[in-house]
């Protein structure tokens, strides 16, 4: 169980699945973004994730507009520190900008977007604890941290009377490094896990095998992240398995992430409702042991942290 339950402002549990708004105001214009928000709400999602850096602020602005009529029923997360580091001044300045864009006095969860090795952790977490003391942030999280970084930061956070409640790692069928240390750490330490990129930038949706385009063809970072041939072979295997079982590849991919016992709930996203629907379908799919094993076999599991392969 997480250290503190993730609940909405009206004391209801936040949805297990999370909708990520990285496309709002970018690949999804305002109308498409609103349709995605409404489709997520219709599916029962109450947890929405954004960041100060997403689409130059348009993501936060649009999410704030859509969420305003029912703010108390929603769980809103944003992130700071992707640009400019995790120093006090940068966190406070960008978080004020985020709250202005969102039109919200407070957020339910504030993540540090990535590790900052140049700023003392004491400065960072004293700042976050201060935001909590002022009632501006309910939970603290970290994204893109290694397990050792989480534990080092957690020790410092505790010294200021706060703690890391949630982590946000990358995790999907072809990006399984989190299984080595991050997920076991979260399970033993009682930290909630909200993984991003369950579809691997769209690779696991099957669209690239069918000649489609998207982040892997338009963004050099994603192209490099998913360049290895074996990842594309795994994606092709997923498409074949989806055909055999009658599920969409994206549904299987998201359900696989959700099935890990340490995962609190995956973050799903899309640039259109048609793209989103198969991910939402995973909310109603529980993998049986045989199907889970067949999905596991599509991509190699990472070596144990000790690299003693005989113990894998």
């Amino acid at each position: 169980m997480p250290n503190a339950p993730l609940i909405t402002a009206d004391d209801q549990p936040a949805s297990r699945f999370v909708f990520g708004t990285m496309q709002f105001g970018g690949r999804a214009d305002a109308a498409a973004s609103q349709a995605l928000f409404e489709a997520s709400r219709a599916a029962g999602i109450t947890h929405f994730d954004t960041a100060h850096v997403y689409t130059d602020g348009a993501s936060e602005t649009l999410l704030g507009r859509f969420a305003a009529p029912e703010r108390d029923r929603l769980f809103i997360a944003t992130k700071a520190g992707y640009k400019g580091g995790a120093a006090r001044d940068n966190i406070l300045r960008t978080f004020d900008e985020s709250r202005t864009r969102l039109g919200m006095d407070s957020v339910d969860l504030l993540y540090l977007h990535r590790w900052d090795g140049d700023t003392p952790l004491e400065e960072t977490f004293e700042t976050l604890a201060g935001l909590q003391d002022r009632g501006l942030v309910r939970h603290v999280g970290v994204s893109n941290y290694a397990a050792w970084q989480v534990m080092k930061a957690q020790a410092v956070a505790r010294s200021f009377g706060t703690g890391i409640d949630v982590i946000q790692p990358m995790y999907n069928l072809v990006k399984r490094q989190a299984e080595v240390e991050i997920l076991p750490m979260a399970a033993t330490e009682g930290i909630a896990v909200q993984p991003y990129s369950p579809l691997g930038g769209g690779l696991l949706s099957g669209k690239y095998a069918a000649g489609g385009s998207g982040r892997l063809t338009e963004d050099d970072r994603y192209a490099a992240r998913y360049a290895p041939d074996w990842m594309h072979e795994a994606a092709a295997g997923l498409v074949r398995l989806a055909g055999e079982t009658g599920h969409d590849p994206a549904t299987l991919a998201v359900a696989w992430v959700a099935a890990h016992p340490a995962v609190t709930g995956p973050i799903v996203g899309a640039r259109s409702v048609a793209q989103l629907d198969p991910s939402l379908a995973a909310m109603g799919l529980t993998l049986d042991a045989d199907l889970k094993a067949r999905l596991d076999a599509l991509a190699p599991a990472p070596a144990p942290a000790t690299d003693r392969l005989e113990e894998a």
Side-chain angles (χ1 to χ4, degrees):
M1 295 293 291
N3 288 337
L6 300 183
I7 58 174
T8 62
D10 65 355
D11 294 332
Q12 297 299 309
S15 57
R16 183 166 186 237
F17 277 44
V18 184
F19 182 80
T21 67
M22 190 170 68
Q23 307 282 12
F24 280 12
R27 289 181 172 88
D29 62 18
S33 298
Q34 183 167 4
L36 287 163
F37 179 85
E38 292 173 352
S40 299
R41 290 294 293 118
I45 290 179
T46 58
H47 187 163
F48 291 86
D49 180 271
T50 186
H52 179 268
V53 74
Y54 289 168
T55 54
D56 296 322
S59 173
E60 289 181 318
T61 300
L62 289 170
L63 175 59
R65 183 191 308 168
F66 306 148
E70 51 176 348
R71 172 65 184 97
D72 287 349
R73 295 192 293 274
L74 304 178
F75 188 96
I76 304 297
T78 192
K79 307 180 196 72
Y82 189 86
K83 294 181 179 179
R88 173 181 174 82
D89 288 348
N90 191 53
I91 290 174
L92 294 179
R93 178 184 61 80
T94 57
F95 182 54
D96 280 346
E97 290 177 358
S98 292
R99 289 191 299 132
T100 297
R101 293 168 180 170
L102 288 163
M104 298 175 187
D105 293 331
S106 65
V107 299
D108 300 293
L109 170 60
L110 179 62
Y111 288 99
L112 297 173
H113 207 148
R114 61 180 174 180
W115 175 258
D116 176 9
D118 296 323
T119 301
L121 287 166
E122 290 78 7
E123 178 180 347
T124 299
F125 282 91
E126 183 178 26
T127 302
L128 295 174
L131 291 173
Q132 287 183 303
D133 289 343
R134 293 164 58 193
L136 303 180
V137 172
R138 295 171 63 203
H139 298 277
V140 168
V142 295
S143 180
N144 300 304
Y145 274 40
W148 70 266
Q149 293 168 337
V150 176
M151 294 307 297
K152 185 174 182 179
Q154 187 73 303
V156 173
R158 294 300 188 210
S159 72
F160 291 104
T162 186
I164 295 167
D165 295 324
V166 190
I167 60 173
Q168 191 178 120
M170 183 194 313
Y171 184 50
N172 58 55
L173 269 168
V174 296
K175 286 289 188 180
R176 297 176 59 175
Q177 185 64 29
E179 294 174 4
V180 179
E181 292 192 332
I182 292 174
L183 297 181
M185 172 209 67
T188 60
E189 298 301 315
I191 300 174
V193 183
Q194 310 284 0
Y196 70 89
S197 205
L199 296 184
L203 174 64
L204 301 174
S205 71
K207 67 179 180 180
Y208 297 109
S213 61
R215 278 178 283 180
L216 268 65
T217 58
E218 299 167 1
D219 188 319
D220 290 343
R221 297 172 303 165
Y222 281 86
R225 188 179 298 173
Y226 294 100
D229 289 341
W230 69 263
M231 293 186 179
H232 292 262
E233 292 167 5
L238 176 63
V239 171
R240 291 192 293 271
L241 183 54
E244 292 177 28
T245 60
H247 297 292
D248 190 280
T251 304
L252 290 178
V254 174
W256 181 86
V257 171
H260 193 287
V263 168
T264 311
I267 300 172
V268 299
R271 57 182 173 182
S272 69
V273 172
Q275 279 190 346
L276 179 61
D277 281 343
S279 293
L280 294 179
M283 297 173 70
L285 176 61
T286 299
L287 302 177
D288 61 35
D290 177 68
L291 182 52
K292 174 68 164 54
R294 295 180 71 187
L295 289 165
D296 288 343
L298 290 173
T306 60
D307 217 17
R308 292 164 62 93
L309 295 181
E310 73 278 13
E311 298 174 352

